[in-house]
Amino acid sequence: MTYAPSPAPANGPLALVDLPTRPKVRSAADAFVRGRRFASRALAPVLILVVWQLSSATGWVDPLVLPSPTDILAAYGELTADGELYDALQASLARSLTGLALGGFTGLLLGLFAGLWRVGEELFDAPLQMLRTVPFIAMIPLFIIWFGIGENAKIALIYAATIFPVYLNTYAGVRGVDSKLIEAGRVFDLGPTRIALRVILPTALPSILVGFRYSAGVALLALVAAEQINARSGIGYILINANVNQRTDVIVAGIILYAVLGIVIDIVMRVIERIALPWRGKLVLA
Amino acid sequence: MSSLSLARLPDPAPPEGPSRAPRRFDDEPLAVRLQGVRRTFGARAVINGVDLEVRRGEFVSLLGRSGTGKTTLLRILAGLDQADGGEARVPQARSVVFQEPRLVPAKRVWRNVTLGHRRGRETRRIAEAALEEVGLGGHADAWPRTLSGGEAQRVALARALAKEPSLLLLDEPFAALDALTRIRMHDLVEQLCRRHRPAVVLVTHDVDEAILLSDRVLVLADGGIRFDAQVELARPRGQTEPGFAALRARLLAELGVAGPADPHHA
């Protein structure tokens, strides 16, 4: 079929259609919609808890395999009563934060060095990229030989694991700074040091903080692995003890503790980002 | 000793009523002195023996088709690029306004304005004074992200002014702005240049902009300055003046866009 231009329109009214206007939404209705959405989101978790509780209560699932939610709550009560929970949290947090601080600092220094100086990149970017591919959990036997089975081995493992995310993101962040900005710095008489301090570092900070957030997650993972080595304190100690005593409720309680720790660390990192990056606006932090 | 081929344009019709006569700069000190400046990329000499003198207070526009080395020449003047030959003398205090604002996103506006300044008690005051001049007095504490394109470019202009430059280099600073903002920026730049009297070199594609703002217009072609004319129009200039149209036609011809066949080009 070929396109045939339509003949000149006849005089007369055009056929117009009504465009819909935006429906008026009352705030009350809005609140109702939000409430309904929240309810539908909460439905699945609540349902799982209920089924879980019922299946334990009716004896359908052996509590040794999976204790009921109320049993787990009771286990928390037990752990809190004798102060064990508090001690364990303190020990585990101290380990992961020490390892994270040392590893993060090392990663930051290496990343800045490799990012800012070509010499740094030439010297250790390739070796670090190679080391990065080694799963840190595979290093545990070696670390035990090097550092024994005490506290040092645990912190060393977390340290080794947390270097890389900070290194990679710092390096990428520094290298990712728009060269036009650096040029502007040169035009306005900034020397290399002040370009690094006034232009590159502030601009690369979001990326560096992302590295720290990744590292915080990795620190938790390394903590769990490290606490499998002869733990005498910490959440890992609770888990090992519970394992020996066949206390599945305490084991699940300990696992959930690790999860909560992960969430808390993530929230803390987000708060730090929000404070350190006021210029980014809220969108990216959502 | 200038080897420029100076083209003198017919004087425009005498203006009706009182208006400012075109300015002369012969008595002003030299701000830019280029002699035989060359810049090659590989085998291609983008700039091949440019001589140029610009004096204090003089506003010079650099026109030319894409790839004629306008920006390269400006970057040499800025010290961002080095010439491969010849001699280039410029003042120490130089500022550049680029096509993009190039503000550090992590720094508040006033910190951006005083990017190159030593930090001290005076810094904030300098920034506020410069921002006041570009009409952004209330934006000192804003983040660059929150500015419109025109505002960001005015901050870039404030940053350039805060350095009190003897040579102000403008690399198509209005190209990315909308038409209305551009008109206001033209007025602002003209007014600020009159007040601070730096030597100005503007790189632009916009012939009208060049005529509106400049004391002198240069056309760059084939690695050299092909055309150099005083703009003998009274200020403030209007595009409806006959002299304006004549100069525009001539410049467009030099740029190979329209007008009579070019005798220089075979």
Side-chain angles (χ1 to χ4, degrees), chain B:
Chain B
M1 74 143 282
S2 172
S3 64
L4 304 179
S5 62
L6 286 170
R8 182 126 321 244
L9 286 160
D11 283 339
E16 285 160 47
S19 73
R20 238 183 264 253
R23 297 173 287 171
R24 298 282 173 221
F25 301 92
D26 302 334
D27 300 331
E28 298 287 348
L30 270 181
V32 171
R33 186 178 173 84
L34 299 183
Q35 284 176 292
V37 164
R38 284 189 303 109
R39 178 73 175 98
T40 52
F41 292 99
R44 201 167 84 91
V46 171
I47 294 173
N48 197 5
V50 162
D51 302 312
L52 175 64
E53 288 184 351
V54 183
R55 292 174 185 276
R56 183 174 70 190
E58 192 177 15
F59 196 122
V60 175
S61 282
L62 216 49
L63 287 164
R65 282 186 279 184
S66 294
T68 47
K70 304 186 296 293
T71 293
T72 304
L73 192 58
L74 189 106
R75 290 174 59 84
I76 289 173
L77 291 171
L80 290 171
D81 196 359
Q82 277 88 47
D84 293 311
E87 228 178 83
R89 295 184 59 82
V90 290
Q92 182 61 45
R94 305 182 300 275
S95 285
V96 185
V97 180
F98 300 95
Q99 183 172 342
E100 329 78 24
R102 300 199 188 183
L103 305 177
V104 181
K107 301 234 167 246
R108 290 185 193 275
V109 160
W110 76 273
R111 284 284 189 207
N112 265 291
V113 170
T114 49
L115 190 66
H117 289 65
R118 298 255 162 230
R119 290 200 179 155
R121 218 173 291 162
E122 285 293 272
T123 324
R124 169 93 189 188
R125 200 193 49 75
I126 293 169
E128 277 174 354
L131 285 167
E132 197 65 54
E133 277 207 297
V134 299
L136 289 175
H139 289 65
D141 287 315
W143 296 108
R145 183 182 59 86
T146 64
L147 302 175
S148 72
E151 285 170 341
Q153 201 60 326
R154 278 189 280 161
V155 172
L157 188 59
R159 178 175 64 182
L161 290 175
K163 200 179 160 184
E164 298 179 39
S166 305
L167 174 59
L168 177 61
L169 300 162
L170 308 172
D171 190 4
E172 302 190 45
F174 317 116
L177 303 176
D178 66 87
L180 292 176
T181 309
R182 196 176 309 150
I183 292 171
R184 283 166 50 196
M185 282 292 275
H186 286 163
D187 292 344
L188 179 65
V189 165
E190 192 173 29
Q191 180 192 326
L192 290 172
C193 288
R194 186 165 305 152
R195 192 181 308 157
H196 297 281
R197 300 182 40 72
V200 186
V201 176
L202 165 73
V203 163
T204 180
H205 280 111
D206 187 337
V207 171
D208 287 13
E209 178 175 289
I211 302 172
L212 218 50
L213 294 175
S214 318
D215 301 304
R216 214 168 118 208
V217 183
L218 312 177
V219 175
L220 216 57
D222 306 324
I225 293 171
R226 262 269 305 277
F227 180 81
D228 182 336
Q230 307 285 336
V231 181
E232 310 274 8
L233 298 172
R235 293 175 193 255
R237 292 169 182 161
Q239 302 184 351
T240 49
E241 291 172 44
F244 198 106
L247 182 52
R248 183 208 279 130
R250 178 67 202 272
L251 286 170
L252 286 173
E254 288 294 334
L255 291 163
V257 177
D262 197 335
H264 299 76
H265 257 209

Side-chain angles (χ1 to χ4, degrees), chain A residues 100-132:
Chain A
L100 175 62
L102 293 173
F105 186 64
T106 308
L108 180 66
L109 282 187
L110 292 174
L112 288 178
F113 195 32
L116 292 171
W117 287 283
R118 193 179 301 271
V119 169
E121 184 192 359
E122 286 163 358
L123 276 180
F124 47 68
D125 187 53
L128 279 173
Q129 298 284 358
M130 277 188 269
L131 276 178
R132 182 174 73 88

